[in-house]
Amino acid sequence: MTTKSVALLDYGSGNLHSAERALVRAGARVEVTADPQIALAADGLVVPGVGAFAACMAGLREVRGERIIGQRLAGGRPVLGICVGMQILFERGVEFGVETDGCAEWPGVVERLSAPVLPHMGWNTVSAPSDSVLFKGMDAETRFYFVHSYAAQTWDLPPSEHFASPKLTWAEHGVPFLAAVENGALSATQFHPEKSGDAGAHLLRNWIDSL
C-alpha cells in the first residue's frame, strides 16, 4: 500500500513541528512547505494555524495560500484545516472589533465565544454525526484538546440538491460552536488533533486513509 503524501502548509503560523510529528505518526509522508507546486501535488494538504485570525490571513496571503487551497478544492483534492486553519476558511473573522476577510470557502463569521472563562483551553467532547469519516471508530466520550477564544457558531451554507450535505460536528463552551466540518474535499477541526493524543492520532489516520 502506497504511503500517502501530505503537504503541511508553512505560512508563518502554526504548530508545524508537532503537526508534522503527528501526521508522520498517523502514517503519512509529510513535507513542510510553502511551495505551491508541492502543496498542489500532494495527496492531502494540511493548513495549521495558531494566534489571531488577521495575522494568519496575512501570512497565508504572503504565500498565496488561499489560492493553493482554492485550486486544490476546485480539483476535488483534500484539504484539512486545524484550529485557526479552520477559522480562516470562513468568510470573515471578527477580533477586538476588527473584521478580516477569510478564504470564503464557507459562508459565515468567526466570533468570540460567549463564555464565562476564555480561552476555552483543555479537553472536551464533541457531538459528531454517525456517518462522519473523521470520527469513525470513536465513541461519544472521546475527548479532544482545544485552545481558542473564537469559533464559528452557526452554519450558514444552504443545502443543495447537487452536493452531499456537509457533516457537522459540534462542541460546547458557554455556547455551541463548530468543532469540525466535513464538506466534500474540505475538512477542518477547531481542536488540535496533534495535541489530542491517541484520539487525535486516530482522527488523522482516518483522514489520511480517506485520501
Side-chain angles (χ1 to χ4, degrees):
M1 187 174 179
T2 305
T3 302
K4 299 294 186 179
S5 63
V6 172
L8 183 59
L9 190 61
D10 181 4
Y11 63 100
S13 178
N15 199 1
L16 293 173
H17 296 301
S18 62
E20 181 182 15
R21 286 195 301 271
L23 287 161
V24 169
R25 178 188 173 200
R29 186 175 75 254
V30 182
E31 185 157 1
V32 179
T33 185
D35 185 313
Q37 290 187 325
I38 295 172
L40 290 169
D43 294 318
L45 174 70
V46 172
V47 182
V50 295
F53 188 107
C56 283
M57 278 306 303
L60 192 72
R61 289 194 173 102
E62 281 188 13
V63 301
R64 298 185 175 182
E66 78 282 13
R67 295 186 184 184
I68 294 170
I69 294 168
Q71 283 182 255
R72 284 191 62 93
L73 295 176
R77 307 275 285 159
V79 175
L80 175 67
I82 294 174
C83 196
V84 185
M86 170 178 176
Q87 296 176 8
I88 58 176
L89 298 170
F90 288 87
E91 277 183 314
R92 63 192 192 281
V94 179
E95 293 182 347
F96 306 109
V98 176
E99 190 168 305
T100 303
D101 289 338
C103 294
E105 295 296 341
W106 294 320
V109 59
V110 172
E111 297 180 287
R112 187 176 175 88
L113 294 170
S114 179
V117 176
L118 288 176
H120 171 215
M121 183 182 296
W123 299 84
N124 202 350
T125 56
V126 303
S127 179
S130 59
D131 60 346
S132 167
V133 173
L134 291 180
F135 297 93
K136 182 180 179 181
M138 290 183 259
D139 63 42
E141 299 307 309
T142 303
R143 293 179 175 270
F144 299 90
Y145 188 80
F146 291 83
V147 53
H148 64 115
S149 297
Y150 296 81
Q153 296 161 55
T154 61
W155 180 253
D156 300 330
L157 187 67
S160 168
E161 62 183 31
H162 303 295
F163 300 101
S165 296
K167 300 176 179 67
L168 307 178
T169 294
W170 296 86
E172 188 163 329
H173 181 71
V175 293
F177 65 89
L178 279 164
V181 177
E182 299 163 69
N183 181 209
L186 183 56
S187 298
T189 66
Q190 178 59 66
F191 55 84
H192 287 274
E194 78 279 11
K195 297 180 181 179
S196 296
D198 290 342
H202 188 150
L203 181 141
L204 290 174
R205 277 195 300 273
N206 282 346
W207 180 70
I208 292 165
D209 288 347
S210 74
L211 299 178

